[in-house]
Amino acid sequence: MSIENDVKALRTGGQHGYLRIATEEAFAPPEMIRMYRRMIRNGEIKDPGFLSLWGFYAFSKSPRAKFIFDSLQDLGEKRLADMDERGIDKQIIALTSPGTQILKRDQAVALAELANDQLAEACRKYPDRFAGMAACAPQDGKAAAKEIERGVSKLGFNSVIINSHTNGHYLDEPQFWPILEAAEALDVPIYIHPNTPPKAMIKPMLDAGLDGAIYGFGVETSLHALRLITRGVLDRFPKLQIIIGHMGEALPFWQYRIDYMHAATVRSKRYDVMLPLQRKPSEYLRENYYMTNSGVAWEPAIKFTQATVGVDRVVYAMDYPYQCDPEEVVALDAMKMSAATKKKFFQTNAEKLFKLKKKK
Ligand code: CA
């Protein structure tokens, strides 16, 4: 059968043996897009990564940008139709990058509340199709912890979205620990989604047009995930669970060398900032991280991660609306793996991780 026929045959409902739960799917409140556009026009935001990304998506008339612009702002019929067309049973939806994290403290706190209220309303309206992640404003760790608590206890979210660095700062820094503490105490995972690299990192990437999802996102987010390990934060919050997308932002492939060089560096006392850990870096990846295949519809990378990180920790994601080709769903359906493993990948790992079954 041709791919074209296979795409036409994509269905929701699980008759092929599993539901498809897509776990890194984005939305944007229209108010946020309007604010971004205004701030770019006024020159209020100078961050080069933000201007590269949103300077394009908020203004470009290209068909790709237009589709993304419209889809991000829809939490209703358009999104549901796009899901049906791609065979997606359920989306786990999060505030798109950089969300609150480019804003000043008060704006960021207000946007987190507004985004959470909008998303919670859509999830209440379509409980079988949507679940949400709680947004917060990391600029104020204590306020963020409070908003996460509200998101989980009042709004029914079972995970937290952090769009990677906040003005060049990373979650291993103590001002963010209230967020980690809240997530661990509430038993909800934190999804660290890419952001454009901060100013100190981005120039040579921008010079080559490589700052976005093609490369810069992955480098910046894998650095974030690795800092949480090597700075000892996961020894302080040992039960914390982190989700990273894009096939673990390539970290599975680095495991051997990171373990070797971490041990060698600690032994030689080269850096004051690199202290001994309770486990090998790769053990944290296997015990504190989940990895989604957002944007990576590639069987060898998925299987390598299943083999080295674990079949219970590799989770399906699409990356709507940035990358959502039905052909990718067909290719993933056709992966040569056992029916039990494929069901974990598409459905049951996500159900457990996001506590989907406990929800009414
Ligand atoms: Ca994404």
Side-chain angles (χ1 to χ4, degrees):
M1 204 155 64
S2 73
I3 277 271
E4 208 170 295
N5 287 333
D6 286 346
V7 166
K8 278 190 196 141
L10 281 176
R11 293 277 185 277
T12 57
Q15 61 272 60
H16 39 275
Y18 45 83
L19 300 173
R20 298 189 199 87
I21 303 175
T23 59
E24 190 204 291
E25 318 308 311
F27 92 109
E31 294 88 341
M32 181 181 96
I33 303 252
R34 282 200 292 276
M35 180 160 56
Y36 280 2
R37 285 167 67 110
R38 194 186 67 235
M39 293 171 109
I40 293 169
R41 282 208 193 94
N42 296 348
E44 268 178 73
I45 297 182
K46 308 264 187 260
D47 180 77
F50 179 81
L51 295 177
S52 172
L53 185 71
W54 278 97
F56 175 70
Y57 285 119
F59 297 102
S60 169
K61 297 280 179 273
S62 72
R64 172 177 164 78
K66 183 87 179 65
F67 173 80
I68 289 169
F69 186 85
D70 293 340
S71 306
L72 278 174
Q73 298 180 70
D74 184 281
L75 285 173
E77 297 305 317
K78 175 185 170 18
R79 183 173 295 254
L80 292 167
D82 286 344
M83 289 165 67
D84 289 342
E85 199 178 307
R86 290 157 177 77
I88 301 301
D89 292 278
K90 190 164 206 163
Q91 282 192 345
I92 315 291
I93 304 172
L95 180 63
T96 202
S97 186
T100 61
Q101 289 168 248
I102 193 71
L103 303 174
K104 298 213 167 69
R105 187 254 175 218
D106 289 357
Q107 284 175 316
V109 168
L111 175 61
E113 286 174 20
L114 175 129
N116 286 336
D117 288 341
Q118 283 187 11
L119 183 56
E121 194 188 323
C123 295
R124 275 194 299 272
K125 197 166 172 194
Y126 304 105
D128 297 334
R129 307 302 301 277
F130 298 162
M133 297 189 202
C136 66
Q139 293 88 332
D140 182 334
K142 287 204 178 117
K146 239 174 110 182
E147 183 60 10
I148 291 167
E149 156 79 35
R150 183 180 82 100
V152 174
S153 63
K154 301 241 164 67
L155 302 180
F157 299 140
N158 283 315
S159 54
V160 176
I161 181 73
I162 299 286
N163 285 302
S164 202
H165 74 89
T166 304
N167 296 314
H169 292 276
Y170 291 87
L171 288 179
D172 54 277
E173 298 172 47
Q175 71 265 28
F176 301 122
W177 290 358
I179 296 171
L180 309 185
E181 205 176 294
E184 191 187 47
L186 294 162
D187 187 27
V188 294
I190 296 177
Y191 203 121
I192 301 184
H193 183 279
N195 190 351
T196 45
K199 203 173 172 194
M201 188 194 273
I202 201 170
K203 183 170 184 304
M205 295 181 185
L206 271 175
D207 289 347
L210 294 173
D211 52 300
I214 185 172
Y215 183 74
F217 279 14
V219 172
E220 197 276 331
T221 309
S222 63
L223 170 74
H224 198 161
L226 188 55
R227 280 181 63 130
L228 287 177
I229 296 173
T230 62
R231 295 293 294 130
V233 168
L234 294 171
D235 288 339
R236 184 175 286 266
F237 302 102
K239 287 191 226 134
L240 186 63
Q241 296 296 317
I242 307 285
I243 310 168
I244 45 179
H246 314 100
M247 219 56 269
E249 310 293 1
L251 281 174
F253 212 69
W254 282 84
Q255 289 174 85
Y256 181 93
R257 190 154 172 83
I258 291 170
D259 279 350
Y260 185 95
M261 283 299 169
H262 182 264
T265 309
V266 167
R267 256 197 323 272
S268 61
K269 299 189 166 55
R270 178 171 166 186
Y271 299 101
D272 292 342
V273 289
M274 190 172 283
L275 298 167
L277 297 171
Q278 288 173 11
R279 294 172 265 161
K280 283 191 211 172
S282 64
E283 292 179 285
Y284 295 88
L285 289 178
R286 287 195 296 275
E287 292 162 13
N288 295 90
Y289 282 81
Y290 286 82
M291 302 184 180
T292 81
N293 78 311
S294 53
V296 184
W298 194 27
E299 185 170 344
I302 292 166
K303 282 187 167 162
F304 178 80
T305 309
Q306 286 174 328
T308 61
V309 177
V311 290
D312 294 325
R313 289 188 170 267
V314 180
V315 185
Y316 174 61
M318 176 168 253
D319 206 359
Y320 179 88
Y322 296 99
Q323 184 173 338
C324 50
D325 300 329
E327 290 81 2
E328 295 190 340
V329 183
V330 172
L332 293 170
D333 275 344
M335 286 191 297
K336 288 181 183 61
M337 78 182 44
S338 74
T341 300
K342 207 180 277 183
K343 186 166 182 165
K344 283 184 175 190
F345 172 72
F346 271 110
Q347 177 183 345
T348 50
N349 286 349
E351 285 174 342
K352 283 187 196 135
L353 181 57
F354 297 98
K355 302 190 185 86
L356 299 178
K357 289 224 157 143
K358 284 185 198 160
K359 280 187 154 181
K360 280 175 228 136

